[in-house]
């Protein structure tokens, strides 16, 4: 190859297919190099167009297929050999409008037709403001040499991309399997950014494969390198840095976000002029990543060495890319540093996974050891509790059997309750102990013929007493002649008890039914209920240990979730199977099978049949309904206890039997709400964990009607966490006791709350008497003035008014007004005295009608009728010029006395009627006091009906 490259600035060289007829004077330039000095000597701008020409002399007798490789030229070029266009990248033009940018390397093969080759490369650049022209070497040689060069360069890039793709693939799999692990997503995005940066540089394979315009090529270039910078730093920071360190570098996120916005929305020309804005970010990452890795290694993270190596090699690769872009080296693309960096980072993940597996193995060993210790603890605890429990049962049974004590019915009932509670506790302890034994295969089954007819009634009797208070029927539908089963009798009782107890516990009303049929040599026993049912998702797990369908505050019954698991294993040990069928809100059916026994002894069979016949006499047991409140007695303290477990209610009732309390019970929140309106209650004792409506919800409902002082609430809770106690107080509870309760503490807390209720009620009674004693000055002086005026007009009327005023003063200052109840006659004497005064003062403007059907000895709260009558006179009929009529009606109902005070006065609008008891003015203090006292005594206050200009009816009800 002789001579050098000739450069023709601002002109395309004339060729057979060229556009010029004259050849400009050539300028010899260095290739490779930036053509800015030659193209624009004044400003050195690379923007413009020109042609490169090179003459090559070859030996004509050694003709062979030749090749030429043209690098990626900014930003469009065409290759001519001896005037023939062989290849091009983009379309060069004399101005930007006739120019199409595309910057990819290309090569061409040709067969020379002489001993001189004229190589012309026409170039145009209107994008790149930093360099233009032939900035990289043009390769010329044999076809084979050129093809090998192209193949090697592209293969290296494809190899790196393949390695990166494999790592990206397993990163995706890890994200899909284990979710968003810190650093894993940033690692994936780092690989994606690196792949794009490789495919868009050097051989520019992404541009060759996809029709991407030059504008988006520039944006992808900036985005890919920014992605490498950002996600490399983010990956290292998430894996090695503390939270404080991550917050310290928050500014880095904002800068990268700003850079992304510029890349996406800035026009291409200004964006290209920004040049290598990311170089400072690259330099920061090169320093920050090794620094974070070193700090992490110093703190004991040995795996940080992998990230340190990866960060250093990525930094070297990035530096090399920057150096190579400025043409400081002519070395071709090499991939080894980046491959090594990705392998180092992947090594960190593999080492991290290996450490996780090792830690998991150690933790599994610890859990197994802890599980074994737990089983030992349960076994020891069961044995330690069983001895005193059996002693308690034996002593209680001995006292119950003693004929002298049998005369004391209350003691007998208490001992029966003690035995039932102990028997229930014994079954729970059996379940705890059996779980440990079943794991060790230490349960020994002793099968023998057992008649279900003799076993089932005893289990039903136990559950009948334990389920007292629920409207449930347990129906035994097992046929009288049902054949015996081959089973361990004690274990069969345990199975039946657990299944029946489970059915009763989750059934609020309805029935529990037992049926038995024979199928293929097995007894099929089905226990069905009309309870809450089990959803399809939970029914698959109910036979697992410690599994419960609902463990929330509103769950039914509580328990430790072992009964069904023990049942399943005991049934299977005896050769049977067990499964469940259920429909939510419609009930459940548990079915288990037992092998039938052979009838070996006719006599034994007859004897068993006789026992079965006797047992069948009680095959349907009607459990008692929930207790109803008795008639209210004002002097006794009434307590409403709410618990979904009837046993707990019975224990509470017996614990407070020696106290002067009247205790009524409810087994649900809704039942308690209904009972609130039936009587006056002094306090409530509410269990927190109840089905449907928890104790918290019920307390909130109570507080909507009664204040803390009007109706105290004591919560019973098995939860002792501070947040549970706080929830109780926020719901409106006055106090709480943590289960199991101490009887002395329970009595003390109840006494404190009931004393509060009595004090509030006494205060309200005294307030009513005080209000009545506070004779308003204008009423006092007006009455005296009327007496003085009548002394000159009508002496008889004066005497009548004076007598009425004297009676009114005596009744107002009577100490009976501070009593809780007075006779109806005493209250009406005060009312008559007041009305006599008003009739003497206002004559025909005050008309009174009486309709008293109740007994004069009926007890009513003092000062309950007189304030209503006074209110009707002063604010009702006297507001009208012509006055009006007051009707005082007392109606004797079956269980109550209904009091109605009706007037035809000015009345009130709906808004005033609605607010008078809640926001009464000074005029309404008497009404508010009367309303609150009635609520305290009877659970219901005043009822007011009124229409403007038509009158008012105020009524209340007094329970007998």
């Amino acid at each position: 190859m002789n001579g050098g490259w000739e450069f023709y600035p601002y002109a395309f060289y004339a060729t057979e297919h060229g556009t010029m007829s004259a050849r400009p004077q050539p300028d010899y330039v260095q290739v490779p190099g930036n053509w800015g000095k030659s193209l624009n000597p004044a400003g050195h701008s690379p923007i413009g167009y020109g042609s490169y020409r090179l003459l090559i002399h070859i030996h004509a007798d050694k003709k062979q297929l030749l090749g030429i490789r043209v690098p990626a030229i900014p930003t469009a070029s065409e290759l001519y050999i001896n005037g023939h266009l062989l290849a091009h990248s983009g379309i060069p033009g004399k101005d930007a409008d006739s120019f199409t940018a595309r910057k990819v390397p290309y090569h061409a093969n040709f067969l020379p037709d002489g001993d001189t080759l004229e190589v012309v490369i026409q170039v145009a650049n209107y994008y790149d403001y930093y360099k233009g022209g032939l900035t990289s070497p043009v390769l010329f040689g044999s076809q084979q040499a050129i093809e090998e060069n192209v193949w090697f360069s592209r293969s290296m890039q494809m190899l790196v991309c393949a390695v990166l793709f494999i790592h990206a693939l397993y990163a995706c799999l890890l994200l899909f399997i284990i979710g968003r692990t810190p650093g894993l997503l940033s690692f994936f995005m780092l690989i994606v950014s690196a792949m794009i940066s490789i495919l868009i540089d050097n051989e520019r394979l992404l541009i060759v494969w996809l029709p991407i315009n030059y504008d988006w090529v520039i944006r992808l270039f900036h985005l890919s390198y920014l992605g490498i910078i950002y996600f490399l730093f983010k990956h290292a920071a998430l894996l090695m840095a503390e939270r404080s360190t991550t917050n310290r570098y928050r500014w880095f996120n904002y800068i990268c976000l700003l850079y992304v916005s510029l890349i996406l929305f800035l026009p291409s020309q200004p964006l290209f002029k920004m040049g290598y804005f990311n170089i400072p970010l690259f330099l920061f990452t090169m320093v920050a990543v090794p620094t974070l890795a070193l700090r992490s290694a110093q703190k004991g993270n040995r795996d940080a060495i992998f990230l340190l190596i990866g960060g250093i090699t990525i930094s070297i690769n990035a530096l090399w890319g920057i150096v190579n872009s400025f043409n400081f080296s002519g070395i071709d693309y090499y991939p080894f540093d980046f491959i090594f960096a990705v392998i180092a980072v992947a090594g960190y993940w593999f080492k991290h996974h290996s450490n996780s597996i090792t830690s998991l193995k150690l933790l599994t060993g610890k859990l197994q050891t802890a599980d074994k210790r737990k089983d030992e603890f349960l076994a020891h605890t069961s044995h330690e509790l069983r001895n005193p429990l059996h002693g308690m049962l034996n002593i209680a049974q001995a006292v119950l059997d003693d004929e002298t004590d049998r005369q004391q019915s209350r003691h007998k009932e208490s001992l029966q309750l003690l035995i039932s509670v102990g028997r229930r506790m014994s079954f729970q302890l059996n379940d705890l102990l059996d779980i440990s034994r079943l794991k060790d295969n230490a349960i020994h089954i002793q099968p023998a013929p057992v008649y279900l007819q003799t076993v089932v009634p005893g289990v039903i009797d136990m559950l009948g007493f334990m389920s007292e208070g629920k409207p449930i029927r347990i129906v035994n539908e097992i046929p009288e002649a049902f054949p015996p089963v081959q089973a361990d009798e004690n274990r069969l009782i345990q199975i039946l008890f657990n299944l029946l107890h489970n059915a009763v516990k989750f059934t609020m009303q309805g029935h529990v039914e037992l049926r038995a049929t024979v199928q293929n040599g097995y007894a099929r026993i089905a226990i069905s209920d009309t309870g809450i049912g089990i959803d399809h998702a939970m029914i698959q797990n109910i036979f697992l240990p410690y599994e419960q369908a609902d463990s929330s505050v509103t769950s039914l019954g509580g328990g430790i979730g072992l009964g069904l698991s023990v049942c399943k294993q005991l049934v299977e040990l005896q050769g049977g199977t067990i499964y469940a069928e259920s429909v939510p809100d419609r009930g459940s059916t548990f079915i288990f099978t037992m092998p039938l026994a052979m009838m070996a002894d006719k006599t034994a069979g007859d004897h068993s049949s006789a026992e079965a016949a006797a047992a069948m006499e009680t095959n349907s047991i009607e459990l008692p309904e929930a207790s109803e409140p008795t008639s209210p007695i004002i002097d006794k303290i009434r307590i409403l206890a709410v618990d979904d477990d009837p046993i707990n209610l019975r224990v509470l009732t017996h614990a407070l039997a020696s106290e002067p309390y009247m205790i009524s019970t409810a087994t649900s929140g809704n039942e308690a709400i209904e009972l609130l309106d039936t009587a006056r209650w002094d306090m409530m004792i509410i269990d927190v964990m109840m089905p449907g409506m928890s104790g918290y919800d019920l307390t909130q409902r109570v507080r909507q009607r009664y204040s803390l002082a009007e109706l105290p609430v004591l919560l019973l809770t098995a939860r002792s966490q501070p947040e549970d106690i706080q929830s109780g107080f926020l719901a409106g509870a006055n106090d709480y006791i943590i289960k199991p309760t101490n009887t002395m503490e329970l009595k003390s807390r109840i006494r404190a709350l009931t004393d509060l209720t009595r004090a509030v009620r006494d205060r309200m009674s005294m307030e009513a008497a005080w209000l009545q004693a506070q004779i308003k000055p204008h009423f006092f002086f007006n009455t005296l003035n009327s007496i003085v005026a009548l002394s000159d007009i009508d002496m008889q009327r004066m005497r009548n008014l004076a007598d009425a005023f004297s009676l009114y003063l005596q009744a107002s200052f009577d100490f009976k007004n501070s009593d809780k109840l007075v006779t109806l006659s005493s209250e009406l004497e005060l009312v008559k005295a007041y009305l006599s005064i008003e009739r003497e003062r206002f004559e025909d403007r005050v008309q009174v009608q009486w309709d008293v059907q109740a007994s004069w000895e009926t007890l009513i709260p003092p000062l309950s009728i007189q304030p209503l009558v006074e209110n009707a006179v002063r604010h009702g009929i006297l507001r009208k010029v012509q006055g009006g009529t007051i009707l005082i009606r007392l109606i004797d109902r079956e269980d109550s006395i209904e009091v109605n005070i009706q007037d035809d006065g000015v009345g009130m609008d709906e808004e005033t009627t609605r607010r008078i008891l809640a926001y009464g003015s000074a005029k309404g203090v008497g009404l508010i006091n009367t309303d609150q006292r009635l609520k305290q005594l009877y659970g219901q206050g005043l009822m007011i009906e009124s229409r403007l200009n038509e009158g008012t009816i105020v009524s209340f009800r007094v329970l007998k």
Side-chain angles (χ1 to χ4, degrees):
M1 183 182 298
N2 298 324
W5 285 97
E6 297 175 353
F7 177 60
Y8 299 87
Y10 299 105
F12 290 137
Y13 175 70
T15 65
E16 294 181 9
H17 306 284
T19 58
M20 300 296 297
S21 59
R23 178 182 297 178
Q25 293 295 321
D27 181 19
Y28 289 89
V29 296
Q30 182 180 356
V31 176
N34 191 345
W35 70 5
K37 293 181 181 180
S38 301
L39 190 63
N40 296 294
H44 296 179
S45 172
I47 302 300
Y49 62 95
S51 298
Y52 289 87
R53 177 174 178 269
L54 177 66
L55 293 177
I56 302 174
H57 299 281
I58 60 175
H59 296 286
D61 56 343
K62 294 183 179 180
K63 290 184 179 181
Q64 59 177 335
L65 196 60
L66 302 177
I68 185 170
R69 174 171 171 78
V70 180
I73 300 175
T75 48
S77 64
E78 292 179 340
L79 172 65
Y80 292 85
I81 301 293
N82 291 337
H84 298 280
L85 177 63
L86 295 187
H88 66 94
S89 174
I91 301 175
K94 296 180 181 181
D95 50 47
D97 295 332
S98 61
F99 161 86
T100 301
R102 192 166 187 260
K103 184 181 176 182
V104 295
Y106 55 94
H107 67 282
N109 301 320
F110 61 93
L111 185 66
D113 54 358
D115 56 356
T116 300
L117 297 177
E118 183 186 46
V119 180
V120 175
I121 301 177
Q122 297 178 350
V123 180
N125 176 36
Y126 297 99
Y127 269 95
D128 197 332
Y129 289 82
Y130 289 92
K131 58 184 177 180
L134 291 175
T135 57
S136 297
V138 178
L139 302 182
F140 178 80
S142 66
Q143 177 196 12
Q144 181 179 0
I146 296 298
E147 293 285 354
E148 288 177 355
N149 180 273
V150 173
W151 176 87
F152 178 82
S153 179
R154 292 183 176 180
S155 298
M156 288 298 99
Q157 288 187 261
M158 293 294 294
L159 174 63
V160 175
C161 289
V163 174
L164 295 179
F165 179 78
I166 292 173
H167 289 289
L169 183 62
Y170 78 71
C172 284
L173 292 176
L174 289 177
L175 281 171
F176 179 79
I177 295 172
I178 63 177
R180 293 188 60 180
T181 303
L184 190 57
L185 181 60
S186 57
F187 175 65
F188 172 78
M189 295 303 299
L190 173 64
I191 295 176
V192 172
S193 300
M195 291 175 63
I196 295 175
S197 68
I198 292 172
L199 293 176
I200 209 169
D201 200 4
N202 205 271
E203 288 296 323
R204 301 175 179 263
L205 297 175
L206 189 63
I207 305 173
V208 174
W209 296 336
L210 301 176
I212 305 175
N213 61 39
Y214 195 76
D215 178 75
W216 271 102
V217 170
I218 298 172
R219 299 183 194 277
L220 285 176
F221 173 85
H222 286 277
L223 286 174
S224 61
Y225 278 89
L226 177 62
I228 294 174
I229 297 169
Y230 178 80
F231 291 113
L232 174 62
F233 175 79
K234 199 72 174 178
H235 182 70
L238 286 173
L239 294 180
M240 296 178 293
E242 301 175 351
R243 183 177 298 272
S244 59
T245 305
T246 305
N247 295 333
R248 190 186 310 163
Y249 293 112
R250 189 174 294 175
W251 57 267
F252 184 78
N253 297 335
Y254 298 145
I255 292 178
C256 292
L257 181 61
L258 175 62
Y259 193 13
V260 170
S261 301
L262 293 175
I263 293 171
L264 293 177
F265 302 107
L266 202 64
S268 58
Q269 294 292 345
L271 179 64
F272 206 98
K273 290 180 180 179
M274 290 177 59
Y276 296 92
F277 178 77
N278 51 17
I279 291 179
L281 298 177
F282 255 123
L283 296 176
F284 167 77
T285 305
M286 289 169 53
V287 176
V289 172
T291 302
L292 291 176
L294 285 174
R295 288 181 181 177
S296 182
Q298 290 174 354
K299 293 180 180 180
N301 184 8
R302 294 185 177 182
D303 299 340
I305 188 65
F306 292 96
L307 296 179
L308 176 62
I309 296 173
I312 292 174
T313 51
I314 290 178
S315 300
I316 292 174
N317 181 271
L319 277 176
W320 172 246
I322 295 173
V323 171
N324 191 40
S325 65
F326 284 102
N327 289 326
F328 294 144
S329 175
I331 301 177
D332 289 332
Y333 175 81
Y334 73 101
F336 304 103
D337 52 359
F338 208 100
I339 292 178
F340 193 79
V342 175
I343 292 176
V345 176
Y348 172 86
W349 282 106
F350 292 135
K351 188 65 168 62
H352 179 75
H353 182 66
S354 176
N355 293 341
S356 299
I357 293 177
T358 303
S359 300
L360 183 61
K361 289 181 179 179
L362 293 175
L363 182 61
T364 301
K366 292 181 180 179
L367 289 175
Q368 289 174 345
T369 302
D371 184 69
K372 184 178 180 181
R373 291 178 179 176
K374 181 261 297 180
D375 292 339
E376 294 173 355
F377 167 79
L378 290 177
H380 292 159
T381 302
S382 299
H383 282 293
E384 291 297 325
L385 290 176
R386 182 179 297 276
N387 292 331
L389 176 62
H390 281 192
M392 178 183 69
L393 293 175
N394 292 334
I395 294 173
Q397 188 66 51
V399 174
L400 180 63
D401 295 339
D402 190 348
E403 293 296 330
T404 59
D405 285 342
R406 291 176 65 87
Q407 306 302 321
Q408 303 179 15
S409 59
R410 192 179 72 179
H411 291 171
K412 177 181 178 181
E413 185 178 356
S414 298
L415 290 175
Q416 288 175 336
L417 176 63
L418 178 64
I419 293 172
S420 295
V421 173
R423 188 174 289 120
R424 177 180 177 181
M425 186 176 179
S426 178
F427 276 110
Q428 289 181 339
L429 289 175
N430 285 338
D431 291 341
L432 282 171
L433 188 60
D434 287 343
I435 281 291
S436 178
R437 289 178 174 177
L438 287 167
K439 287 185 177 180
D440 298 333
N441 296 321
I443 293 287
H444 298 292
I445 301 298
Q446 298 178 351
V450 179
Y451 283 89
L452 291 173
Q453 301 92 322
T454 62
V455 171
V456 169
V459 178
I460 293 178
D461 288 340
M462 286 188 289
L463 287 168
F465 193 83
M466 293 174 63
S467 304
E468 185 174 350
K470 282 189 176 183
I472 303 173
R473 288 187 309 115
I474 301 180
V475 182
N476 182 2
E477 294 290 345
I478 297 177
E480 181 178 344
F482 195 80
V485 297
Q486 189 74 12
D488 187 317
E489 183 173 356
N490 292 329
R491 297 302 178 183
L492 180 59
I493 293 174
Q494 185 176 357
I495 294 168
L496 290 170
F497 179 86
N498 280 333
L499 293 179
L500 281 171
H501 183 268
N502 194 67
V504 172
K505 179 172 64 175
F506 291 99
T507 302
M508 302 307 297
Q509 60 182 357
H511 67 272
V512 177
E513 189 176 77
L514 288 88
R515 293 182 178 275
T517 57
V518 176
Q519 290 184 356
N520 301 324
Y522 282 83
R524 182 182 182 272
I525 301 103
I527 299 174
S528 59
D529 60 68
T530 57
I532 62 173
I534 310 169
D535 58 39
H536 179 72
M538 192 60 204
I539 204 169
Q540 308 297 327
N541 302 322
I542 56 174
F543 292 108
L544 298 177
Y546 307 103
E547 282 290 339
Q548 291 176 286
D550 185 5
S551 58
S552 64
V553 173
T554 57
S555 63
L556 278 166
I560 55 178
L562 292 177
L564 293 179
S565 175
V566 171
C567 285
K568 181 177 185 298
Q569 298 183 67
L570 290 179
V571 168
E572 292 175 349
L573 281 175
Q574 299 179 78
T577 59
I578 186 171
Y579 60 95
E581 299 173 350
S582 182
V583 177
D585 300 325
R586 295 182 60 183
S588 305
T589 302
F590 286 82
I591 301 112
F592 70 96
T593 61
M594 284 287 169
L596 294 174
M598 300 299 295
M599 297 296 291
D601 194 320
K602 181 71 168 60
T603 305
D606 294 339
H607 175 69
S608 299
S609 297
E611 291 181 347
M616 288 299 292
E617 294 178 359
T618 59
N619 67 340
S620 180
I621 296 179
E622 186 77 27
L623 299 184
E625 299 287 337
S627 59
E628 295 294 335
T630 58
S631 299
I633 300 177
I634 300 299
D635 292 334
K636 276 222 170 187
I637 294 176
R638 295 190 58 86
I639 297 176
L640 178 58
V642 188
D643 197 315
D644 65 307
D645 192 337
I647 286 293
N648 292 340
L649 294 175
R650 291 183 61 84
V651 170
L652 179 64
T653 303
H654 282 272
L656 301 177
S658 60
E659 300 293 323
Y661 304 141
M662 294 186 63
I663 302 177
S664 298
T665 61
T667 56
S668 68
N670 292 326
E671 183 182 354
I673 294 296
E674 294 176 358
L675 292 178
L676 282 179
D677 296 329
T678 62
R680 179 266 305 166
W681 303 101
D682 296 287
M683 73 169 294
M684 295 181 68
I685 302 175
I686 302 175
D687 182 45
V688 170
M689 300 179 66
M690 294 191 299
M693 182 187 300
S694 70
Y696 299 146
D697 297 332
L698 177 57
T699 303
Q700 290 177 342
R701 296 279 295 275
V702 171
R703 285 293 164 256
Q704 293 174 2
R705 301 172 56 176
Y706 302 99
S707 66
L708 289 167
E710 290 175 339
L711 184 56
V713 172
L714 175 64
L715 288 181
L716 298 179
T717 174
R719 299 171 178 242
S720 59
Q721 296 299 320
E723 54 269 19
D724 298 316
I725 298 172
Q726 182 184 16
S727 299
F729 283 119
L730 291 177
N734 296 71
D735 203 352
Y736 73 95
I737 291 183
I738 298 176
K739 294 180 181 180
T741 60
N742 179 276
T743 303
M744 295 300 296
E745 180 184 6
L746 177 64
K747 291 180 178 180
S748 299
R749 291 180 184 265
I750 292 175
R751 191 176 299 114
L753 293 178
T754 53
D755 288 346
L756 171 65
T757 306
R758 279 184 167 182
V760 171
R761 188 173 296 120
D762 292 342
R763 178 191 64 80
M764 296 185 68
S765 299
M766 292 301 297
E767 180 184 281
W770 176 82
L771 289 171
Q772 185 62 27
Q774 300 293 313
I775 302 177
K776 298 176 175 58
H778 72 275
F779 176 75
F780 182 80
F781 290 119
N782 288 339
T783 304
L784 291 178
N785 290 335
S786 298
I787 293 174
V788 172
L790 288 174
S791 65
D792 297 330
I793 301 173
D794 190 338
M795 293 297 295
Q796 184 61 39
R797 289 183 60 191
M798 181 199 74
R799 293 189 187 97
N800 295 338
L801 181 59
D803 291 341
F805 188 53
S806 176
L807 291 174
Y808 181 79
L809 291 177
Q810 291 178 6
S812 297
F813 292 108
D814 194 343
F815 287 104
K816 291 181 179 180
N817 292 336
S818 61
D819 294 341
K820 292 181 179 179
L821 295 175
V822 297
T823 61
L824 179 61
S825 59
S826 299
E827 180 71 10
L828 293 184
E829 284 180 6
L830 177 62
V831 174
K832 289 180 178 180
Y834 170 76
L835 289 174
S836 296
I837 294 173
E838 299 294 20
R839 283 180 58 80
E840 291 295 338
R841 290 178 59 197
F842 300 103
E843 298 181 341
D844 293 338
R845 291 183 63 196
V846 178
Q847 299 294 326
V848 181
Q849 296 180 4
W850 295 86
D851 182 9
V852 180
Q853 303 175 12
S855 170
W856 289 85
E857 300 302 319
T858 302
L859 297 178
I860 68 170
L863 303 176
S864 56
I865 299 179
Q866 190 276 334
L868 306 183
V869 174
E870 182 178 351
N871 189 74
V873 172
R874 295 184 57 215
H875 302 290
I877 61 177
L878 292 183
R879 293 287 182 90
K880 298 172 67 174
V881 176
Q882 71 275 18
T885 303
I886 295 177
L887 172 61
I888 302 173
R889 175 179 294 164
L890 288 89
I891 305 173
D892 192 352
R893 305 291 185 187
E894 182 178 352
D895 59 346
S896 62
I897 302 296
E898 184 178 331
V899 180
N900 289 281
I901 310 299
Q902 181 176 350
D903 67 77
D904 55 0
V906 295
M908 298 177 290
D909 56 27
E910 293 183 2
E911 181 66 18
T912 305
T913 304
R914 184 178 63 84
R915 297 179 55 187
I916 189 170
L917 294 179
Y919 301 97
S921 62
K923 301 176 182 178
V925 173
L927 289 179
I928 295 175
N929 178 274
T930 304
D931 179 68
Q932 291 179 344
R933 287 188 295 128
L934 290 171
K935 286 182 178 178
Q936 285 286 341
L937 292 173
Y938 307 113
Q940 187 174 7
L942 296 176
M943 293 172 287
I944 301 177
E945 300 178 9
S946 182
R947 292 187 179 182
L948 198 62
N949 299 321
E950 293 185 14
T952 304
I953 301 175
V954 182
S955 60
F956 63 90
R957 188 166 57 99
V958 177
L959 299 179
K960 290 183 179 180

